[in-house]
Amino acid sequence: MRIPDSVTRAYEEELALVEPLRNHASTRLRILAADNAWLFDDRIKSAESALSKLETGRACLRDMNDLYAAMLVVPTQKHVKSASEAVLKSFTAQIRPARPMEASSFVYDDMHIIATLRGKVSPRAVPHPAVLDRPFEIQIHTGAQYAWWRATHDDIYKGSSPAGRSWAAKRASGQARASLELVDGVLADFEAAARLQKTTMPLDDDPGESVRGWLQHWPRRRRPADEVRFASTATAIAAAAAVDADAITERFSAGDLATFVAAPNLTPIQVILIACHLIGGTTIFPNLATTQQRVLITDELLGAYPALGALPSAQRVPV
């Protein structure tokens, strides 16, 4: 998918901090992993993945803790505490609170630690002092959790496989996640076993499938790799703007969005935002404000559709 030039520039500027950060953090984590017979992996989020997260309105690049993310894989749940303690000693860090969830839910949410190098690395060892304060994420998985994550991440979590988007596939993923969590935790924590509960079977497949269908208007090379994130972001923006999804589908069918779809510098989410304005007009601005939904407004978007320039700056997510 084509990334707006303004986003690419901002992403490359942020890499100037993230790449030296990675050099120092990964060295420390590799030593920790080697000393304890843990596995280690890390990555820098791609420009497209960063854009996808920007478009949700939740974080700007500078506040994107997982632009650089590392992972430690430990044998079982009983090793997670010692791993987290080792990480907290090696970095200036804190454990991110776990998300509240229903007892019957088995969503992906393992231990996440937000860390910086400040106080652990000499300022003379980095090209710019800001590197020391650039937050990054360290995830701690058990071996079973890591196996589940690797098996499901692309097909289920990111929606890259058509088969993986069905209710049956998601059901199988949830069953595997539950079983592996029991294997990890039942001996140490009986409450883990109690979380395995039957749920009512839904009548339909993924409700986001119709929204994901909007991507059919773009050639495959210009579609985002993370179709699940596209569907959730597009749905959230339309709902916040109080624009019915069926009305957007009608605009696609009528060809009203064809010019914007053909524009190589516009992302699919930006076209959805344009559709919302075409349908709802300026009323979408107070609607977005009421729901506190921020959106990404780039120079490329304003060049193609200047009317969105009236959106107050407080409702925009900075690049």
Side-chain angles (χ1 to χ4, degrees):
M1 187 179 76
R2 174 73 180 269
I3 311 297
D5 292 340
S6 57
V7 175
T8 298
R9 289 193 298 270
Y11 174 80
E12 291 173 348
E13 290 174 1
E14 197 64 21
L15 285 186
L17 299 180
V18 171
E19 288 175 342
L21 163 66
R22 181 185 194 178
N23 291 337
H24 288 279
S26 65
T27 298
R28 287 172 172 253
L29 290 169
R30 287 181 191 278
I31 293 172
L32 275 182
D35 288 346
N36 293 278
W38 301 332
L39 299 180
F40 169 77
D41 193 11
D42 70 345
R43 62 101 182 102
I44 293 177
K45 190 184 286 290
S46 69
E48 181 176 338
S49 183
L51 168 63
S52 177
K53 193 164 186 177
L54 279 171
E55 290 184 322
T56 69
R58 294 200 298 266
C60 63
L61 280 172
R62 184 56 52 88
D63 296 330
M64 205 172 286
N65 296 331
D66 64 342
L67 195 61
Y68 169 63
M71 179 188 300
L72 291 174
V73 182
V74 301
T76 67
Q77 284 287 353
K78 67 181 181 182
H79 300 92
V80 170
K81 182 178 179 181
S82 60
S84 64
E85 289 174 347
V87 168
L88 294 175
K89 288 179 181 178
S90 299
F91 300 95
T92 299
Q94 59 182 359
I95 298 173
R96 192 185 74 182
R99 294 178 296 177
M101 63 180 70
E102 295 293 332
S104 58
S105 175
F106 290 89
V107 298
Y108 168 71
D109 189 25
D110 298 312
M111 179 173 285
H112 291 62
I113 296 174
I114 307 302
T116 69
L117 300 177
R118 173 66 66 181
K120 302 296 182 178
V121 172
S122 170
R124 291 175 293 182
V126 296
H128 192 283
V131 174
L132 300 177
D133 296 314
R134 182 46 171 100
F136 64 100
E137 184 178 273
I138 303 168
Q139 301 174 11
I140 300 178
H141 299 264
T142 66
Q145 289 168 338
Y146 181 70
W148 176 86
W149 178 79
R150 288 297 300 160
T152 63
H153 186 263
D154 289 342
D155 286 347
I156 305 296
Y157 182 61
K158 287 189 176 295
S160 60
S161 167
R165 296 198 293 266
S166 70
W167 179 89
K170 291 184 177 179
R171 175 71 168 180
S173 171
Q175 289 170 334
R177 175 70 172 86
S179 298
L180 292 175
E181 183 167 294
L182 286 171
V183 170
D184 264 346
V186 68
L187 295 179
D189 183 4
F190 188 72
E191 290 295 325
R195 291 201 296 270
L196 185 59
Q197 301 291 330
K198 290 184 178 180
T199 57
T200 302
M201 182 184 298
L203 298 178
D204 301 314
D205 281 353
D206 182 1
E209 193 66 31
S210 60
V211 173
R212 193 180 292 112
W214 295 340
L215 290 175
Q216 299 301 317
H217 295 277
W218 281 268
R220 186 166 297 280
R221 69 181 184 279
R222 292 187 54 215
R223 298 176 196 171
D226 191 341
E227 295 185 3
V228 171
R229 171 63 65 81
F230 165 81
S232 63
T233 300
T235 300
I237 289 175
V243 172
D244 187 75
D246 289 340
I248 296 177
T249 300
E250 291 174 3
R251 290 281 179 159
F252 274 114
S253 300
D256 297 343
L257 302 174
T259 299
F260 305 112
V261 169
N265 290 327
L266 295 181
T267 72
I269 286 294
Q270 290 176 328
V271 175
I272 300 307
L273 186 58
I274 291 172
C276 289
H277 189 270
L278 288 172
I279 295 166
T282 57
T283 61
I284 73 168
F285 297 159
N287 291 340
L288 291 172
T290 298
T291 56
Q292 298 183 331
Q293 173 69 50
R294 296 192 301 169
V295 294
L296 178 65
I297 303 293
T298 63
D299 293 340
E300 295 85 353
L301 176 57
L302 293 179
Y305 195 77
L308 288 174
L311 185 69
S313 59
Q315 295 171 233
R316 307 183 188 188
V317 58
V319 176

